[in-house]
Amino acid sequence: MTEPLGRRERKKAQTRQALADAALRLFLERGYDQVGVKDVADAADVSVTTLFKHFPSKEALVFDQEDDIEAALVAAVRDRPAGQTILDALRQHVLPAGGRPRDPEMATFVELVENTPALRDYAHRMWMRHEAALARVIAEEIGAPEDDLTCAALARFALEIRNLTRGHPDPRRAGDALFTLLDRGWSALHPNT
Amino acid sequence: MTEPLGRRERKKAQTRQALADAALRLFLERGYDQVGVKDVADAADVSVTTLFKHFPSKEALVFDQEDDIEAALVAAVRDRPAGQTILDALRQHVLPAGGRPRDPEMATFVELVENTPALRDYAHRMWMRHEAALARVIAEEIGAPEDDLTCAALARFALEIRNLTRGHPDPRRAGDALFTLLDRGWSALHPNT
DNA sequence: GTTCAAAAGTTGAGTCATTGCACGTTCTTA
DNA sequence: TAAGAACGTGCAATGACTCAACTTTTGAAC
């Protein structure tokens, strides 16, 4: 489906990839704040303006493929198995799997993001940006008005659980406890949802 | 207690006040994004560098007296009446009083902050910055380890309630419902706290 | 009363991320 | 194939923020 690309689009994707690769390499070598966008552009052999045509900001250089996350989140709630509550669906989708794969490349990437305030904040904002969509699908599922505040609160709290458990020795167990906390309050307001 | 100020400190406070006044006036006149820090500095008859010696950022120009909020927050939990739960103490302290005083000057200020993304985000960050202190005092009060995750979560969720209810027609009632949600889950984990 | 050195205020000249404007190249359409 | 639209690219600018040096104020020693 993505095969028939013209030369132009192929070169565009190539340039984009070169920028992302150069950025990640330089950031890991020297640290995010010690690398300017000029350095990244030079390493990819393009001008700074071209860099910003491909990425909306310096932070976005390290978050390359952040596309279908919102759709997957909404689908996890809307298409949950029959009989499963909304909170259990969120619990399974938001919390990471128990044993970590320990991909070494991913590990250094996560370390870079965690140790760089600008990147940590950016990742947080990107993740919380899905709150509105999540709140909307929750309201639909329980038949509440679209702007129901408890749905917005549940969406925000559930998303924040991932941020809270990040860096914890056992994120799965910790997240479970927090989802249980939310579940007790939520099921009192909206039983069997 | 703050009377014996030397000429120097008096002039410093005077410059600071002139900057804050000029900034608020210009922001309300032309809009936050249409005013540069240069304009504010010129209006107060100082250089841009001097402006940044008094305020750490452009956003900070409008949040002049944000000092003892964290202390009051911690005190509200630690010095709550005997027999009152932590969540009830937070509910009373975080939620605004029912009838609004309708101070016209404050109203235009709130409107400016709400309608300016940069200021809205800054106010949010400033408010959430108290999460760590709040989490610490909650952990102390229930005798949990200082880095207990459920305490951090309760602190974050309680603070977020204020952000969620902002702009709602009846913040008091809406906030009450959300605190009740948290209360059910929390009292199951830590009864009578 | 004068001097002097540390502390604090002030400044102009910079740095860095980000964005209009203009030019050349590539793709489309007739 | 040639005009015209759309796109990639670079130069130069803008706006927030910082740095090294200069000036003023303060407090005490002489």
Side-chain angles (χ1 to χ4, degrees):
Chain A
M1 48 173 64
T2 55
E3 288 301 323
L5 290 176
R7 288 182 204 86
R8 192 175 209 169
E9 308 203 349
R10 206 170 334 124
K11 185 146 193 175
K12 180 175 179 178
Q14 190 176 331
T15 300
R16 180 189 177 85
Q17 193 61 38
L19 282 165
D21 290 347
L24 188 57
R25 179 173 58 79
L26 290 175
F27 291 164
L28 287 174
E29 278 177 17
R30 287 191 251 159
Y32 181 81
D33 293 321
Q34 274 60 52
V35 178
V37 288
K38 179 82 164 30
D39 301 328
V40 177
D42 286 349
D45 202 39
V46 296
S47 79
V48 176
T49 309
T50 300
L51 184 152
F52 279 104
K53 287 283 183 180
H54 287 273
F55 298 91
S57 68
K58 182 184 177 187
E59 293 95 345
L61 282 165
V62 286
F63 297 105
D64 205 357
Q65 52 260 26
E66 289 265 333
D67 285 339
D68 306 326
I69 294 183
E70 183 165 303
L73 190 63
V74 169
V77 171
R78 179 175 287 140
D79 308 333
R80 68 189 185 282
Q84 189 182 45
T85 67
I86 293 175
L87 268 160
D88 280 332
L90 279 174
R91 187 196 307 246
Q92 285 187 17
H93 189 263
V94 168
L95 294 185
R100 310 212 201 141
R102 301 287 183 183
D103 180 353
E105 197 172 351
M106 180 64 74
T108 59
F109 171 76
V110 169
E111 189 185 13
L112 172 68
V113 174
E114 293 298 315
N115 297 340
T116 308
L119 292 179
R120 215 172 46 71
D121 291 354
Y122 184 79
H124 183 264
R125 282 202 303 278
M126 288 295 101
W127 177 241
M128 295 309 290
R129 178 169 295 182
H130 307 132
E131 178 191 323
L134 181 56
R136 209 176 308 121
V137 70
I138 292 174
E140 280 178 18
E141 290 294 312
I142 69 171
E146 188 172 325
D147 61 344
D148 183 275
L149 199 63
T150 59
C151 295
L154 181 64
R156 183 173 298 190
F157 292 165
L159 292 176
E160 283 287 5
I161 285 180
R162 174 182 261 201
N163 299 322
L164 282 162
T165 57
R166 193 168 290 167
H168 199 79
D170 187 353
R172 179 78 197 191
R173 174 189 301 271
D176 258 343
L178 298 183
F179 266 107
T180 302
L181 188 156
L182 288 186
D183 201 356
R184 276 195 235 275
W186 176 258
S187 59
L189 262 65
H190 306 280
N192 303 106
T193 59
Chain B
M1 46 172 66
T2 56
E3 288 301 323
L5 290 175
R7 288 181 203 88
R8 190 176 210 169
E9 308 203 351
R10 208 172 332 126
K11 186 148 192 174
K12 179 176 180 178
Q14 189 176 330
T15 300
R16 179 189 178 85
Q17 192 62 38
L19 282 165
D21 291 346
L24 188 57
R25 180 173 57 79
L26 290 175
F27 291 163
L28 288 174
E29 277 177 17
R30 286 191 252 158
Y32 181 79
D33 292 322
Q34 274 59 53
V35 177
V37 288
K38 180 83 165 28
D39 301 328
V40 177
D42 286 348
D45 201 40
V46 295
S47 77
V48 176
T49 312
T50 300
L51 184 152
F52 280 104
K53 285 284 183 181
H54 287 272
F55 298 91
S57 69
K58 182 184 177 187
E59 292 96 345
L61 282 164
V62 286
F63 297 105
D64 206 358
Q65 52 260 23
E66 288 265 333
D67 285 340
D68 306 326
I69 294 183
E70 183 166 304
L73 191 62
V74 169
V77 171
R78 179 176 286 139
D79 308 333
R80 68 190 185 282
Q84 190 182 43
T85 67
I86 293 176
L87 268 161
D88 280 333
L90 279 173
R91 186 195 307 247
Q92 286 187 16
H93 189 264
V94 168
L95 294 184
R100 309 214 201 140
R102 302 284 183 185
D103 179 353
E105 196 172 350
M106 181 65 72
T108 58
F109 171 76
V110 170
E111 189 185 13
L112 171 69
V113 174
E114 294 298 316
N115 298 340
T116 308
L119 291 178
R120 215 171 45 71
D121 290 354
Y122 184 80
H124 183 266
R125 281 203 303 278
M126 288 294 102
W127 177 241
M128 295 309 290
R129 178 169 293 182
H130 305 133
E131 178 191 323
L134 181 56
R136 209 176 307 121
V137 70
I138 292 174
E140 279 178 18
E141 290 294 313
I142 69 170
E146 188 172 324
D147 61 343
D148 183 274
L149 199 64
T150 60
C151 295
L154 181 65
R156 184 173 298 190
F157 292 165
L159 292 176
E160 283 287 5
I161 285 181
R162 175 183 260 200
N163 300 323
L164 282 163
T165 57
R166 192 168 292 167
H168 200 79
D170 187 353
R172 179 78 197 189
R173 176 188 300 272
D176 258 342
L178 297 183
F179 267 107
T180 302
L181 188 156
L182 288 186
D183 202 355
R184 277 195 234 275
W186 176 258
S187 59
L189 264 64
H190 307 280
N192 303 108
T193 58

